[in-house]
DNA sequence: TATGAATGAGCATTCATTCAT
DNA sequence: GATGAATGAATGCTCATTCAT
């Protein structure tokens, strides 16, 4: 809904060619859209402010006036898209549902969101991992938030399963990292290969994560609730 | 002009300052080492040929003489490190062992290798994902090789489990991607957090992948063979 | 559209934030004040119109509306501050007093004024010397006026001393330049070093100028009249 | 002798148009010459690296390779020209001569040097006074060295004149500042007005400084020794 | 085999200045 | 009388790449 996949919104009238005089908030969103797209496709270093400004339909000075610097612009992209993604996942999950249901819902939302906003996903996933850049903290924070979310999910599920003692914390953290990594990888796979729908990707991962390869091989897949 | 018989101290003696006249193969390896290190730490765009040349202890023109261009140099890094990694994994796996043993051995080798060569791993994993760059093909090929390896492994295991019909090919491919992604993510986690040994990372992943979260929660973890 | 009778608090009341609707003369003085301060502290090139406008508490277009361009603004600063300085000096000097008294009074006024308005002095002295800039003429004119004043002073004194032939014009001009330069340098010194009061600076210069180093060394300083 | 007033040294042959492949030291001197000229004529901020590079007959990257940054380049100019000027003055003064002789010799050397290298003098005097710039320290150091030299001279003269107690230190420092300022001002005057030879400027200042205006008016000028 | 010298092209950033309201 | 929105044109600096030796 916000990452500029939708080219030009119809109805604003006429010629195209550099719309003039819009309120700051609108221009800022246009710039962020353009930036997400450019950063997503070229990477942070390779993206040029010229290209972003042009794609946003404004002059470069305006970009600087509103967003300060390339680094700040990128940080703003990260923040916006990370918030959008976590929001999408969070609002798809019912915290009172059983653990596998929660996971299933979250994964579906995740794959749907990443499929819908591939550039945003590229910014978060591929481009942002670069070490040494000053925004590394921002990116890691975003990822850490997701991992923490999953960690809590798994931990709660484990406790709910009456196990005592439950899994050690470090084990749980490791599992969360593994799960998130698997999801990231599958998201890339689903977007690259022609037509792997979000639901199928989610199902594959759910099978993998919940039943385990061992069960799958024995013909005991996990099956979607409800 | 001056035919240097022993003008400068031969061999490794002395202060270190810029060794002269060594065979091409050696020089090339020095350059690749420097390049992997620099690319791994800075990323492709941020790494400068100046820095690489200096770290390699040679002049820039020599780098160009031997390795042609920044792009070619990076491609060479990818190729070398991808080969090293796949070689490490492959040679740890006995194709006649049971599937879970094979997976276990492969994972251990993977985590050990990435822990041992973090810059190489960074080049393969983080830095190389950048789309749009001309070497994307090379990187994808390397990853595809690993995925194919895992795919074959899982496929064989499934067939060996007497299931009929076995899992559909696309499902298997998806599982392989998930597994590889989980491994990649865990490798980053193991290297970042203080002191998660390769073996533990491998065990965590093996548990996750083989037994599944469901089993784990019920207290039925996978246990290492032998 | 809305005819602002007393919509916003009139006069000086309230928080300070951007006073609306004041007479042009007042606004102009605010701008010049801000400009003198900024130019004095940053220099002509380094000062930005943004900073000046902000310091003046108005928007940039207003500055342009009233003062046309950066160059014109700077010229206006020069003119205002040069007039203030010469006025201060002139009005301190009684043209009927003896020459040394006139010089003494003028110097004191000069050092007092520059100590009181360091930014104005910086604009006149340091920042404005830049050759090549289009306002060089204005600055030189201001300085020339002071030199001419001193020249006249010295010339009159010489003639009054019954010397015949009096000092040649060029010699007098040179002396005036020397005296002005010495005063400028001492003004900088007095303002930089901690606590050299204007009066002391004036006395030092008066001694130097009137008695000469030779006399000083022989123990024959000039002593203030009255 | 070193500030590029002399356009192109004859004898290096032929076409002009970007001499190729010269040793680093030579190129560096060319760059400094060009920089002194440009900074002297335009000022620090207004001078562009492009212009300097072009005037030096090299490409901009080479300037950066050899001299690092605009700031460093300017600092190098200051250092070189300050050293040249102080050297010129120092080597003209015989420390065993009487004080007025020393002053006379020093002043002559000063006016000759500044007349010979007007751009260098502009860099030292006009352009460099800008406050807030990072090289202010360098410039002030250079000026402080000259002032210290003059201070020592005056102090020694005072002591040699058997006066007891001699002038207080602060008084001496003030006199030195006044003298240096007068010299600076006269240097500008001598260079601006058509044809005031160095010797005449020196004589004017010497009269002013040594005899004092009072003596001059009474017809008792200082007369050159020897 | 190996390098000091050199550059074309691009990039992030800033600034004085102007519309349209 | 006053301003939010917007830009053309520089400017400092870096980098991959190549000669000439």
């Amino acid at each position: 809904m916000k990452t500029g996949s939708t080219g030009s919104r119809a109805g604003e009238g006429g010629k195209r060619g550099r719309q003039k005089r819009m309120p700051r908030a609108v221009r800022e969103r246009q710039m962020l859209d353009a930036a997400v797209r450019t950063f997503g496709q070229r990477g942070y270093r390779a993206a040029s402010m010229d290209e972003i400004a042009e794609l946003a339909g404004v002059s470069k000075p305006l970009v600087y006036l509103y967003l300060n610097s390339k680094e700040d612009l990128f940080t703003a992209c990260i923040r916006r898209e990370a918030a959008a993604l976590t929001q999408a996942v969070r609002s798809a999950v019912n915290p009172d549902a059983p653990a596998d249901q929660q996971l299933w819902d979250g994964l579906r939302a995740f794959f749907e969101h990443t499929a819908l906003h591939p550039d945003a996903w590229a910014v978060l996933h591929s481009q942002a991992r670069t070490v040494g850049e000053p925004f590394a903290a921002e990116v890691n924070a975003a990822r850490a938030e997701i991992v923490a979310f999953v960690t809590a999910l798994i931990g709660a599920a484990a406790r709910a399963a009456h196990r005592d003692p439950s899994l050690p914390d470090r084990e749980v953290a490791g599992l969360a990292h593994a799960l998130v990594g698997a999801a990231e990888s599958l998201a890339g796979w689903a977007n690259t290969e022609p037509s792997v729908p979000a639901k199928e990707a989610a199902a594959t991962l759910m099978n993998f994560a919940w039943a385990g390869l061992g069960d799958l091989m024995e013909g005991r897949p996990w099956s979607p609730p409800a």
Side-chain angles (χ1 to χ4, degrees), chain A:
Chain A
M1 220 165 208
K2 51 173 59 131
T3 29
S5 301
T6 53
S8 63
R9 195 175 294 275
E12 63 193 357
K15 279 317 247 325
R16 224 21 193 123
R18 209 145 282 202
Q19 217 66 23
K20 296 271 197 171
R21 300 265 138 189
M22 358 242 292
R24 171 165 181 156
V26 178
R27 278 278 191 248
E28 244 181 71
R29 196 152 57 74
Q30 288 177 342
M31 289 175 195
L32 281 177
D33 290 347
V36 166
R37 190 147 150 204
T38 310
F39 283 135
Q41 280 170 6
R42 301 246 186 285
Y44 176 70
R45 302 290 288 221
S48 91
M49 293 299 271
D50 276 284
E51 190 180 355
I52 292 173
E54 186 174 35
L55 187 61
V58 297
S59 71
K60 239 188 319 175
L62 201 60
V63 180
Y64 278 89
L65 189 61
Y66 285 176
L67 286 144
N68 249 342
S69 72
K70 193 183 187 182
E71 190 184 321
D72 282 7
L73 175 55
F74 191 74
T75 303
C77 290
I78 296 285
R79 259 201 266 264
R80 189 181 81 167
E81 298 308 333
L85 176 55
T86 43
Q87 174 57 25
V89 171
R90 247 180 239 285
S91 69
V93 170
N94 171 14
D96 298 327
D100 62 341
Q101 170 87 47
Q102 285 191 47
L103 194 52
W104 167 243
D105 290 336
L107 287 178
R108 266 209 322 201
F110 172 80
F111 287 113
E112 263 152 25
H113 188 92
T114 53
L116 223 53
H117 308 290
D119 291 329
W121 172 243
V123 168
L124 288 175
H125 179 53
S126 320
Q127 317 297 355
R129 192 80 100 250
T130 337
V131 287
E133 304 288 359
F135 45 74
E138 199 69 30
V139 182
N140 290 338
R143 194 172 198 263
E145 195 190 340
I146 297 206
V147 171
F149 180 68
V150 174
T151 303
L153 198 66
I154 299 181
R159 276 189 298 282
H162 310 293
R163 293 196 60 231
D164 210 3
S166 67
L167 297 166
D169 281 359
R170 194 155 92 175
E171 178 81 6
V172 172
L175 290 171
H177 272 275
L179 180 53
V180 170
E184 289 173 344
S185 178
L186 271 180
W189 175 66
N191 278 334
T192 304
E193 303 286 312
S195 68
V196 176
K199 202 166 175 180
E200 184 181 331
T204 295
L205 181 48
M206 198 64 200
N207 251 325
F208 176 67
W210 204 257
L213 291 176
D215 281 5
L216 286 179
M217 290 179 190
E218 307 298 330
R220 290 193 305 270
W222 167 88
S223 62

